[in-house]
Amino acid sequence: AVASSPPRWEIGLYAAGALALLGIAAINLWKLWRSGSYPAPSPFPNYDYRYLEQKYGAACPDVRNKRGLAPGSQRAPGRSSSSRKSSLRAEDALESIQELGSLELMGRDLGLAHYGPLRKSISADSLNSISSIGNNFGQDFTVGQVEVSMEYDARAAALHVTLLQGKDLLEKEDARFESCFMRVSLLPAEQIVGISRIQRSAYSVAFDERFSVPLDPAALEENSLRFSVFGVDEDERSVSTGVAELKLSDLDLAARPFSAWLYLQDTNKAVDTVGEILLSLSYLPTAERLTVVVVKAKNLVWSNGKVTADPFVKVYLLQDGRKISKKKTAVKRGDINPVFNEAMIFSVPAIVLQ
């Protein structure tokens, strides 16, 4: 047998194909380099700084460069790829953990020493795993949201409550109501603090109404506020459709004002209490890290008639309703009053903290 060389045109065809593939790879690498995502990653894992810049404007480049990673810059020598992680893990560098201070000191500052040593929680497998909670996060039992702010005037011994705005205060499928209003009450005496003006639109409401009620400082530890939304039907009858309650003792109004969006529970869909959970939140501006400490739970009630169960806690970090990160505690076997005392650490840019 005689071995013959392939014709030159065939060799040229293979060479041209190889050059074309190399050219395509080079173009894609160049595009990645120009986009700023290679070789320098976004300083905040799971947050695309280009999305942040589009959403929040010119302030975002300051966030992007906070850790000294400008577009196209080389990664610092010795810096591990852990900067891409959504939060600290056990194998993270020691300096990354020390950036927050030791967990022992944190537990001491939070008054958690009697619960035992504070530990780091583990990251859950996937944001889309079967065991993950649904995207509604309990919204089957809620009807709309209302933004409120509160402050306590110690000199006048008065509590000031402001209804800022609301959205989706009535079910869109419920055509009984032509308008709505909100009522603020002080519990347990059910003293009416204020009633808002009637709003014709229940889906995007600007209240901007302020109410005040005399209140002794001691009453801040005993009273609660109830925010109720009422639908008004064609016969001008008012029907309670949603409610939210806040314990004033949880807000520390004597030290600082309070402002938040509240979910209004649907009064037509009762939710049985299944227990309580004690949490602690803190934010370290210098490292831009959010820490959630899951301290303990108590009086847990098992569902579906179970006699015993193995509780654990999952914490989701969301932005604009989208899951950013997820962590979970250890499992406590058959304990209705479990003590977790675990810290969950998330990287969160200051610009999106609110």
Side-chain angles (χ1 to χ4, degrees):
V2 179
S4 59
S5 300
R8 292 182 178 179
W9 65 267
E10 189 173 347
I11 296 175
L13 186 62
Y14 290 146
L19 288 174
L21 290 175
L22 288 173
I24 293 173
I27 290 173
N28 286 327
L29 287 173
W30 179 78
K31 287 181 178 179
L32 285 172
W33 182 283
R34 289 296 302 271
S35 70
S37 58
Y38 179 85
S42 168
F44 299 100
N46 299 316
Y47 289 93
D48 186 344
Y49 64 77
R50 286 163 294 181
Y51 162 75
L52 298 179
E53 188 172 23
Q54 180 182 6
K55 183 175 178 65
Y56 296 100
C60 191
D62 296 335
V63 173
R64 187 173 76 188
N65 298 324
K66 185 171 284 288
R67 299 186 188 177
L69 289 175
S73 64
Q74 296 293 333
R75 194 177 303 178
R79 175 69 58 90
S80 70
S81 61
S82 64
S83 60
R84 281 190 175 273
K85 295 177 183 177
S86 60
S87 52
L88 294 176
R89 298 172 187 268
E91 64 267 25
D92 280 350
L94 180 60
E95 56 267 27
S96 298
I97 298 175
Q98 289 176 338
E99 194 174 15
L100 266 149
S102 70
L103 294 177
E104 181 181 356
L105 290 176
M106 185 187 301
R108 191 181 306 166
D109 291 342
L110 295 173
L112 306 177
H114 57 287
Y115 293 117
L118 191 61
R119 299 175 298 275
K120 291 200 305 293
S121 290
I122 60 174
S123 294
D125 298 332
S126 167
L127 292 177
N128 299 314
S129 60
I130 296 176
S131 62
S132 297
I133 194 167
N135 283 323
N136 59 348
F137 288 93
Q139 292 176 13
D140 288 342
F141 299 100
T142 62
V143 49
Q145 302 173 61
V146 60
E147 186 182 16
V148 303
S149 68
M150 286 174 275
E151 58 181 339
Y152 184 72
D153 186 347
R155 291 184 178 180
L159 176 66
H160 305 296
V161 183
T162 304
L163 293 177
L164 297 172
Q165 57 182 322
K167 56 185 178 182
D168 300 330
L169 297 179
L170 298 175
E171 294 282 356
K172 293 182 179 180
E173 296 81 7
D174 198 338
R176 292 178 298 163
F177 305 118
E178 299 180 345
S179 56
C180 71
F181 66 91
M182 290 205 65
R183 185 178 72 191
V184 183
S185 307
L186 189 65
L187 304 179
E190 297 195 9
Q191 175 187 354
I192 295 179
V193 175
I195 299 176
S196 75
R197 296 184 297 270
I198 292 180
Q199 304 288 337
R200 293 299 173 187
S201 171
Y203 309 121
S204 181
V205 183
F207 290 108
D208 197 20
E209 298 186 50
R210 191 170 189 256
F211 310 107
S212 299
V213 58
L215 200 65
D216 293 330
L220 292 175
E221 298 296 322
E222 304 169 358
N223 293 29
S224 301
L225 276 181
R226 174 183 291 164
F227 299 86
S228 306
V229 60
F230 291 83
V232 182
D233 62 17
E234 57 184 6
D235 296 326
E236 298 188 352
R237 293 176 299 185
S238 57
V239 178
S240 176
T241 60
V243 64
E245 293 185 7
L246 281 177
K247 291 182 179 180
L248 298 182
S249 59
D250 294 338
L251 306 182
D252 197 15
L253 290 172
R256 64 186 65 86
F258 172 82
S259 180
W261 281 93
L262 306 179
Y263 280 97
L264 297 162
Q265 182 180 313
D266 191 339
T267 54
N268 298 316
K269 298 176 181 178
V271 181
D272 293 332
T273 301
V274 294
E276 299 178 67
I277 188 167
L278 179 61
L279 303 171
S280 169
L281 290 175
S282 62
Y283 185 71
L284 186 63
T286 54
E288 298 195 314
R289 296 272 175 89
L290 175 68
T291 303
V292 183
V293 179
V294 181
V295 183
K296 64 177 181 177
K298 67 178 182 179
N299 302 326
L300 299 182
V301 178
W302 313 134
S303 59
N304 302 326
K306 293 180 180 177
V307 178
T308 184
D310 303 325
F312 60 93
V313 178
K314 281 188 181 180
V315 174
Y316 293 81
L317 181 68
L318 295 96
Q319 184 190 11
D320 296 335
R322 180 170 62 94
K323 297 177 188 175
I324 296 294
S325 188
K326 178 178 71 174
K327 286 185 169 292
K328 66 179 180 180
T329 67
V331 177
K332 301 296 183 178
R333 303 294 177 186
D335 193 348
I336 63 173
N337 299 296
V339 175
F340 299 100
N341 207 27
E342 296 189 25
M344 303 179 175
I345 304 168
F346 301 96
S347 297
V348 180
I351 199 170
V352 297
L353 181 63
Q354 295 302 321

